[in-house]
Amino acid sequence: MKIRLAALLLAASMAAQAEIYRFGLIGDVPYSDYERRELPKMLDAIADSHVDFVAHIGDIKHGKDRCDDSLFEDRYKLFNAVRVPFVFVPGDNEWTDCNRSSNGAYDPLERLGKLRSLFWKGDYSLGQKKLRLEKQSGSYPEHARFRLGPVLFVTINVPGGNNNFGLGKQASAEFQARNPVVLKWLQDSFALARRDKLAGIVLLFQADPAWKNFAQGLAHEGYREFLTILRAESIAFRGQVVAVHGDTHMSHIDQPLRDGDGKTLANFTRVETFGYPVMGWTRGIIDTASPTLFRFEAQPWTSKQ
């Protein structure tokens, strides 16, 4: 009886010490006038669910729409009005694809510069409440990280369209300049998480890097180094690793990363957000009492009139 009572008291004590954190994940939205009208309602609902922050992992417009200043400014006002901290990671639709004639035939780097001047101009997140962000030194202010409980969150500029590698076998000049910066930020963030003995790390980027192709040894050139390092760092990390991305517009919560022998990496989870034409969001829950640390819940959106 005494042993059972002691066990119950220990369990109660551990439960009392457990910490719970929540966050919302969205991407590939808004793509239409309807989604632009609905998104503020969905963001209000996410804020009402008591999340600590919301992250948008890229593509803030349809791929056929123009990359005009007025659209960027509209999204900035929308995101900055969210009642909780709001973190944004760039997608291909708002910079690498802006050279399309339907997008206004812009210079992609000039458009990325415009995004930087709006969304990442300081050391704090967007939103009515702010998160203080640690930025990567240099010319990539969209690369940031912050902590929530025992977890490090990291934003990385890895867009769809093969990471802007280019159409030929020779990588574009932009890719050659950015990719080493991306890889260093990835490695430095894992090193920080290991140094501080954090329980988890969450990577936020836009592109679907073609997990199945990588597992089969057929990685796309634009993602090969990124995924190779991500795999090595995940294997070496004792905590949980989560990669959040969008790009293919289908909600997924699974474990697509394999080790060198083709076995599933048990400490790695991929979360892909909803995307046009289906609106929705994903609730992330950090539970320090759980052996898996994270729990994710897909939340399809139904219009609230």
Side-chain angles (χ1 to χ4, degrees), residues 250-271:
M250 296 183 67
S251 175
H252 287 107
I253 302 167
D254 58 10
Q255 294 181 296
L257 191 58
R258 305 288 185 263
D259 65 15
D261 296 323
K263 297 179 180 178
T264 298
L265 287 185
N267 71 328
F268 181 90
T269 300
R270 178 270 292 265
V271 177

Short mmCIF file of all heavy atoms in Angstrom, two decimals, residues 250-271:
data_model
loop_
_atom_site.label_atom_id
_atom_site.label_comp_id
_atom_site.label_asym_id
_atom_site.label_seq_id
_atom_site.Cartn_x
_atom_site.Cartn_y
_atom_site.Cartn_z
N MET A 250 -0.72 19.78 -48.98
CA MET A 250 -1.43 18.63 -48.40
C MET A 250 -0.96 18.42 -46.97
O MET A 250 0.25 18.30 -46.73
CB MET A 250 -1.20 17.37 -49.23
CG MET A 250 -1.78 17.45 -50.64
SD MET A 250 -1.55 15.90 -51.56
CE MET A 250 -2.63 14.82 -50.62
N SER A 251 -1.89 18.41 -46.03
CA SER A 251 -1.54 18.24 -44.63
C SER A 251 -0.97 16.84 -44.39
O SER A 251 -1.57 15.83 -44.75
CB SER A 251 -2.79 18.44 -43.76
OG SER A 251 -2.50 18.16 -42.40
N HIS A 252 0.22 16.81 -43.80
CA HIS A 252 0.87 15.55 -43.44
C HIS A 252 1.50 15.67 -42.06
O HIS A 252 2.05 16.72 -41.72
CB HIS A 252 1.99 15.17 -44.43
CG HIS A 252 1.53 14.70 -45.76
ND1 HIS A 252 1.63 15.46 -46.90
CD2 HIS A 252 0.94 13.54 -46.14
CE1 HIS A 252 1.14 14.79 -47.93
NE2 HIS A 252 0.72 13.62 -47.50
N ILE A 253 1.45 14.61 -41.31
CA ILE A 253 2.19 14.48 -40.06
C ILE A 253 2.76 13.07 -40.08
O ILE A 253 2.03 12.09 -39.88
CB ILE A 253 1.29 14.70 -38.83
CG1 ILE A 253 0.62 16.08 -38.88
CG2 ILE A 253 2.11 14.54 -37.53
CD1 ILE A 253 -0.51 16.25 -37.88
N ASP A 254 4.04 12.94 -40.38
CA ASP A 254 4.62 11.61 -40.57
C ASP A 254 6.11 11.63 -40.29
O ASP A 254 6.65 12.61 -39.79
CB ASP A 254 4.29 11.07 -41.96
CG ASP A 254 4.79 11.98 -43.08
OD1 ASP A 254 5.55 12.93 -42.80
OD2 ASP A 254 4.42 11.76 -44.25
N GLN A 255 6.79 10.53 -40.66
CA GLN A 255 8.23 10.39 -40.40
C GLN A 255 8.93 9.90 -41.68
O GLN A 255 9.27 8.74 -41.80
CB GLN A 255 8.46 9.41 -39.24
CG GLN A 255 7.93 9.94 -37.91
CD GLN A 255 8.19 8.98 -36.76
OE1 GLN A 255 7.67 7.87 -36.75
NE2 GLN A 255 9.00 9.41 -35.81
N PRO A 256 9.17 10.81 -42.63
CA PRO A 256 9.70 10.38 -43.93
C PRO A 256 11.22 10.32 -44.02
O PRO A 256 11.75 9.89 -45.05
CB PRO A 256 9.17 11.48 -44.87
CG PRO A 256 9.19 12.71 -44.00
CD PRO A 256 8.83 12.23 -42.62
N LEU A 257 11.93 10.76 -42.98
CA LEU A 257 13.40 10.80 -43.07
C LEU A 257 13.97 9.44 -42.66
O LEU A 257 13.60 8.88 -41.63
CB LEU A 257 13.95 11.90 -42.17
CG LEU A 257 15.44 12.24 -42.34
CD1 LEU A 257 15.75 12.66 -43.77
CD2 LEU A 257 15.85 13.35 -41.37
N ARG A 258 14.90 8.94 -43.48
CA ARG A 258 15.53 7.63 -43.24
C ARG A 258 17.02 7.79 -42.97
O ARG A 258 17.64 8.74 -43.42
CB ARG A 258 15.35 6.73 -44.48
CG ARG A 258 13.90 6.55 -44.93
CD ARG A 258 13.12 5.68 -43.96
NE ARG A 258 11.78 5.40 -44.44
CZ ARG A 258 10.69 6.08 -44.07
NH1 ARG A 258 10.80 7.09 -43.22
NH2 ARG A 258 9.50 5.76 -44.54
N ASP A 259 17.55 6.82 -42.21
CA ASP A 259 18.99 6.82 -42.00
C ASP A 259 19.68 6.20 -43.21
O ASP A 259 19.04 5.87 -44.22
CB ASP A 259 19.36 6.10 -40.69
CG ASP A 259 19.02 4.62 -40.72
OD1 ASP A 259 18.78 4.05 -41.81
OD2 ASP A 259 19.01 4.01 -39.64
N GLY A 260 20.98 6.00 -43.13
CA GLY A 260 21.72 5.47 -44.26
C GLY A 260 21.34 4.05 -44.64
O GLY A 260 21.60 3.61 -45.77
N ASP A 261 20.72 3.33 -43.71
CA ASP A 261 20.29 1.95 -43.97
C ASP A 261 18.82 1.86 -44.37
O ASP A 261 18.27 0.76 -44.50
CB ASP A 261 20.52 1.09 -42.72
CG ASP A 261 21.99 0.97 -42.36
OD1 ASP A 261 22.81 0.89 -43.29
OD2 ASP A 261 22.32 0.99 -41.16
N GLY A 262 18.18 3.02 -44.56
CA GLY A 262 16.79 3.03 -44.96
C GLY A 262 15.79 2.89 -43.83
O GLY A 262 14.59 2.73 -44.08
N LYS A 263 16.27 2.97 -42.59
CA LYS A 263 15.38 2.84 -41.44
C LYS A 263 14.84 4.21 -41.03
O LYS A 263 15.55 5.22 -41.11
CB LYS A 263 16.12 2.20 -40.26
CG LYS A 263 16.58 0.78 -40.53
CD LYS A 263 17.32 0.22 -39.32
CE LYS A 263 17.79 -1.21 -39.59
NZ LYS A 263 18.55 -1.76 -38.44
N THR A 264 13.60 4.23 -40.59
CA THR A 264 12.96 5.48 -40.16
C THR A 264 13.69 6.07 -38.96
O THR A 264 14.02 5.36 -38.01
CB THR A 264 11.49 5.21 -39.77
OG1 THR A 264 10.79 4.74 -40.92
CG2 THR A 264 10.82 6.49 -39.26
N LEU A 265 13.96 7.37 -39.02
CA LEU A 265 14.54 8.05 -37.87
C LEU A 265 13.42 8.32 -36.86
O LEU A 265 12.54 9.15 -37.10
CB LEU A 265 15.19 9.37 -38.29
CG LEU A 265 16.51 9.26 -39.06
CD1 LEU A 265 17.09 10.65 -39.31
CD2 LEU A 265 17.52 8.42 -38.30
N ALA A 266 13.47 7.64 -35.74
CA ALA A 266 12.37 7.68 -34.78
C ALA A 266 12.23 9.04 -34.11
O ALA A 266 11.14 9.38 -33.64
CB ALA A 266 12.57 6.59 -33.72
N ASN A 267 13.29 9.83 -34.07
CA ASN A 267 13.22 11.12 -33.39
C ASN A 267 12.89 12.27 -34.34
O ASN A 267 12.98 13.45 -33.96
CB ASN A 267 14.53 11.43 -32.66
CG ASN A 267 15.69 11.73 -33.61
OD1 ASN A 267 15.75 11.18 -34.71
ND2 ASN A 267 16.60 12.59 -33.18
N PHE A 268 12.51 11.95 -35.58
CA PHE A 268 12.23 12.98 -36.59
C PHE A 268 10.78 12.93 -37.04
O PHE A 268 10.26 11.86 -37.38
CB PHE A 268 13.14 12.80 -37.81
CG PHE A 268 12.93 13.83 -38.88
CD1 PHE A 268 13.65 15.01 -38.88
CD2 PHE A 268 11.99 13.63 -39.89
CE1 PHE A 268 13.44 15.98 -39.86
CE2 PHE A 268 11.78 14.58 -40.87
CZ PHE A 268 12.51 15.76 -40.85
N THR A 269 10.14 14.11 -37.07
CA THR A 269 8.76 14.23 -37.54
C THR A 269 8.66 15.35 -38.57
O THR A 269 9.24 16.42 -38.39
CB THR A 269 7.80 14.54 -36.37
OG1 THR A 269 7.88 13.49 -35.41
CG2 THR A 269 6.36 14.67 -36.86
N ARG A 270 7.95 15.06 -39.64
CA ARG A 270 7.65 16.08 -40.65
C ARG A 270 6.20 16.53 -40.47
O ARG A 270 5.28 15.70 -40.35
CB ARG A 270 7.83 15.51 -42.05
CG ARG A 270 7.50 16.48 -43.20
CD ARG A 270 6.04 16.43 -43.65
NE ARG A 270 5.71 15.18 -44.29
CZ ARG A 270 5.74 15.01 -45.62
NH1 ARG A 270 6.04 15.99 -46.41
NH2 ARG A 270 5.40 13.83 -46.13
N VAL A 271 5.98 17.85 -40.46
CA VAL A 271 4.64 18.42 -40.44
C VAL A 271 4.49 19.29 -41.67
O VAL A 271 5.23 20.25 -41.85
CB VAL A 271 4.39 19.27 -39.17
CG1 VAL A 271 3.00 19.91 -39.22
CG2 VAL A 271 4.55 18.42 -37.92
#
